[in-house]
């Protein structure tokens, strides 16, 4: 029998939230699990509003924000509401980052344009006279600092930057057997079709969760990460049932298995090089948009062509090759026992899985010689993610052959 804990309660006048399950999954069970969802308390929601919103963000962020202001073609229009009297026109979300002037990572953002309801409604974006706005889900641990940074860059731009974390929540819905490809290859109309054939019960919960036009979208980084969305805090997101909501740590474990970091702790703020943390392969960087803060170093590194270190999924094993739980802490050094050199650093760890920034030359030797500094009884297995572009590995192999 599942044990449940109540989620945040609201006044009787607002909709109630389903109870949240305490269930946790092993990495292997997670891969075969049916659709599950997690409320991401690690993320907060901010709103950018005003006539200069796109121009302001375009000059700061790594991705091309102008797509949010361009008229949509017929193939980009999406309608996901189950009731035909409230169709929506939506733009798929975008993943982007704000960098330091020196090209180091600061913050990541998922940008959403509010859905436009074709008929009059109380939903955001439904009023044609309403000021242009974009929403973003951001790392909650650096929310105040992030707001101050954006306001510092605002100067005379006509854009309001507002913390709306009390009004909106971020959710992720995911499951096993999703394709590993990048979302950039997905057709635009597929970005917000919900679960398609994977929908469990699309009727009541879908209509109640979508009564303001908000909806699930393909995660803009990878199809295999599932579906992401922001929803008003006082409604039930569509397609979430009582026994399908799980702890956010399951989503963290899901990301670790895919080799995807998120937020300013896993991607060290002011230190991380965006290309080493694979942000180009996660659709966070446009190389033809023009100037933005930190663009020069990113462009130079990209065109030089060889990235010697990358973020990789890790599995922690004992001498018998069995997975070990809770033995490795973030910040631990990974050592190549054959050369006695540092191969990299563990950035994130949960149970027997983690993410590490490793030198590819040591990571893919295949000798099984990686271990943790001071814990030589622990072995570290580095995994090449299936979603990696083929040229990343080819570039490493060519560089190794020359070396």
């Amino acid at each position: 029998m599942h044990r449940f804990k109540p989620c945040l309660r609201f006044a009787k006048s607002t909709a109630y939230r389903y109870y949240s399950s305490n269930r946790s999954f092993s990495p292997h069970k997670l891969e075969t699990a049916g659709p599950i969802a997690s409320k991401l308390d690690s993320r907060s929601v901010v709103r950018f509003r005003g006539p200069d919103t796109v121009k302001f963000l375009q000059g700061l962020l790594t991705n091309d924000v102008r797509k949010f202001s361009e008229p949509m073609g017929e193939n980009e229009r999406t309608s996901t509401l189950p009731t035909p009297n409230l169709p929506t026109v939506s733009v798929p979300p975008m993943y982007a980052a704000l960098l330091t002037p020196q090209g180091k990572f600061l913050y990541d953002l998922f940008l959403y344009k509010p859905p436009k309801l074709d008929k009059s409604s109380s939903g955001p974006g439904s009023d044609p006279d309403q000021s242009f706005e974009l929403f973003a889900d951001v790392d909650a641990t650096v929310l105040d600092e992030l707001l101050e940074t954006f306001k510092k860059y605002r100067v005379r731009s006509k854009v309001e930057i507002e913390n709306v974390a009390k009004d909106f929540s971020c959710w992720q819905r995911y499951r096993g057997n999703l394709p590993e490809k990048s979302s950039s290859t997905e057709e635009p109309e597929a970005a917000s079709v919900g679960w398609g054939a994977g929908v469990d019960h699309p009727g009541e919960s879908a209509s109640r969760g979508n009564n303001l036009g908000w909806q699930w979208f393909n995660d803009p980084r990878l199809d295999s990460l599932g579906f992401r969305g922001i929803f008003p805090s006082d409604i039930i997101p569509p397609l979430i049932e009582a026994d399908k909501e799980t702890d956010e740590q399951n989503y963290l474990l899901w990301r670790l298995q895919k080799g995807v970091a998120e937020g300013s702790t896993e991607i060290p703020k002011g230190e991380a090089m965006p290309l080493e943390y694979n942000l180009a392969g996660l659709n966070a960087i446009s190389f033809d948009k023009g100037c933005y803060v930190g663009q020069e170093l990113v462009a130079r590194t990209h065109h030089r062509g060889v990235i010697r270190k990358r973020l990789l999924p890790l599995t922690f094993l004992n001498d018998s090759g069995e997975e070990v739980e809770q033995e490795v802490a973030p910040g631990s050094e990974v050592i190549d026992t054959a050369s006695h050199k540092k191969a990299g650093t563990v950035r994130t760890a949960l149970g027997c899985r983690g993410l590490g920034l490793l030198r590819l030359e040591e990571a893919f030797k295949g000798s099984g010689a990686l271990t943790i500094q001071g814990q030589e009884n622990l072995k570290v297995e580095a995994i090449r993610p299936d979603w990696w572009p083929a040229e990343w590995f080819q570039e490493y192999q060519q560089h190794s052959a020359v070396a």
Side-chain angles (χ1 to χ4, degrees):
M1 179 179 294
H2 297 313
R3 296 168 51 208
F4 297 100
K5 63 180 181 180
C7 282
L8 188 63
R9 293 182 178 178
F10 298 90
K12 290 182 179 179
S13 59
T14 62
Y16 67 93
R17 183 183 305 285
Y18 280 125
Y19 281 19
S20 174
S21 171
N22 280 326
R23 290 182 305 163
S24 61
F25 292 88
S26 70
H28 306 292
K29 288 183 178 179
L30 196 57
E31 285 290 350
T32 58
I36 54 178
S38 299
K39 180 176 177 288
L40 306 185
D41 291 324
S42 64
R43 308 293 291 187
S44 291
V45 181
V46 300
R47 175 168 58 194
F48 300 91
R49 179 165 57 181
D52 291 344
T53 296
V54 170
K55 180 181 178 182
F56 171 71
L57 294 175
Q58 180 71 3
L60 294 178
L61 302 184
T62 55
N63 218 331
D64 195 342
V65 186
R66 292 173 297 182
K67 83 165 191 176
F68 289 115
S69 62
E70 297 172 351
M72 287 187 297
E74 289 300 320
N75 65 332
E76 294 179 296
R77 295 170 181 256
T78 62
S79 179
T80 62
L81 289 179
T83 50
N85 60 323
L86 287 177
T88 61
V89 176
S90 303
V91 180
M94 174 185 292
Y95 186 52
L98 177 67
L99 310 180
T100 69
Q102 295 76 32
K104 303 294 182 66
F105 177 90
L106 277 179
Y107 317 112
D108 62 351
L109 304 90
F110 294 81
L111 294 170
Y112 305 79
K113 187 174 182 180
K116 180 179 179 181
L117 305 186
D118 286 352
K119 293 188 176 183
S120 60
S121 169
S122 60
S126 59
D127 183 355
D129 297 323
Q130 188 178 37
S131 178
F132 184 91
E133 59 184 357
L134 291 176
F135 287 74
D137 84 61
V138 302
D139 186 346
T141 64
V142 293
L143 176 60
D144 292 339
E145 178 186 316
L146 178 146
L147 291 171
E148 290 179 7
T149 301
F150 275 102
K151 290 176 180 178
K152 178 187 70 175
Y153 279 115
R154 181 172 53 186
V155 193
R156 295 182 179 85
S157 298
K158 296 179 181 179
V159 55
E160 299 175 8
I161 306 166
E162 182 182 3
N163 175 5
V164 292
K166 292 183 179 180
D167 302 319
F168 293 89
S169 299
C170 179
W171 290 78
Q172 191 86 12
R173 198 164 192 266
Y174 49 104
R175 63 181 172 92
N177 302 319
L178 288 172
E180 289 285 351
K181 64 185 177 181
S182 164
S183 287
S184 63
T185 61
E186 191 77 8
E187 291 297 323
E189 65 267 27
S192 57
V193 295
W195 282 99
V199 171
D200 297 315
H201 302 288
E204 181 183 6
S205 62
S207 61
R208 290 162 64 189
N210 255 356
N211 59 4
L212 293 181
W214 295 92
Q215 58 199 267
W216 295 104
F217 291 93
N218 281 33
D219 191 300
R221 297 166 296 178
L222 296 173
D223 290 341
S224 60
L225 287 174
F227 296 79
R228 199 177 184 99
I230 58 172
F231 300 91
S233 296
D234 59 351
I235 70 168
I236 303 166
L239 310 178
I240 296 181
E241 301 176 33
D243 61 345
K244 299 298 184 182
E245 184 185 338
T246 72
D247 191 274
E248 184 179 350
Q249 283 204 328
N250 287 316
Y251 168 61
L252 170 57
L253 182 59
W254 186 253
R255 285 193 292 102
L256 297 187
Q257 293 179 234
K258 307 299 179 184
V260 178
E262 184 175 296
S264 302
T265 300
E266 297 176 18
I267 312 175
K269 182 169 57 71
E271 301 177 16
M273 302 290 291
L275 299 187
E276 291 182 348
Y277 280 74
N278 305 327
L279 292 189
L282 296 172
N283 303 314
I285 300 175
S286 170
F287 292 103
D288 56 10
K289 63 165 285 186
C291 294
Y292 56 86
V293 175
Q295 180 261 348
E296 183 178 354
L297 178 62
V298 173
R300 185 168 65 245
T301 305
H302 171 69
H303 292 299
R304 191 167 55 200
V306 176
I307 310 298
R308 293 181 174 85
K309 294 187 294 183
R310 286 193 182 274
L311 192 73
L312 292 163
L314 305 177
T315 300
F316 307 121
L317 310 168
N318 60 22
D319 288 332
S320 301
E322 300 169 333
E323 295 177 347
V324 295
E325 299 273 347
Q326 311 298 348
E327 294 289 340
V328 179
S332 301
E333 291 188 358
V334 179
I335 304 297
D336 182 349
T337 56
S339 64
H340 304 287
K341 294 181 180 179
K342 177 181 176 180
T345 304
V346 176
R347 297 304 327 169
T348 308
L350 177 64
C352 60
R353 298 300 169 91
L355 294 175
L357 184 67
L358 303 184
R359 291 181 58 86
L360 299 181
E361 183 176 357
E362 279 81 18
F364 295 133
K365 278 183 175 179
S367 60
L370 297 181
T371 187
I372 298 295
Q373 176 73 48
Q375 296 175 274
E376 285 72 18
N377 60 319
L378 291 180
K379 305 301 180 184
V380 178
E381 179 184 0
I383 302 166
R384 176 192 169 194
D386 292 338
W387 60 266
W388 271 25
E391 57 267 24
W392 286 5
F393 200 65
Q394 292 170 356
E395 288 170 359
Y396 152 70
Q397 290 175 318
Q398 292 169 0
H399 173 71
S400 299
V402 172

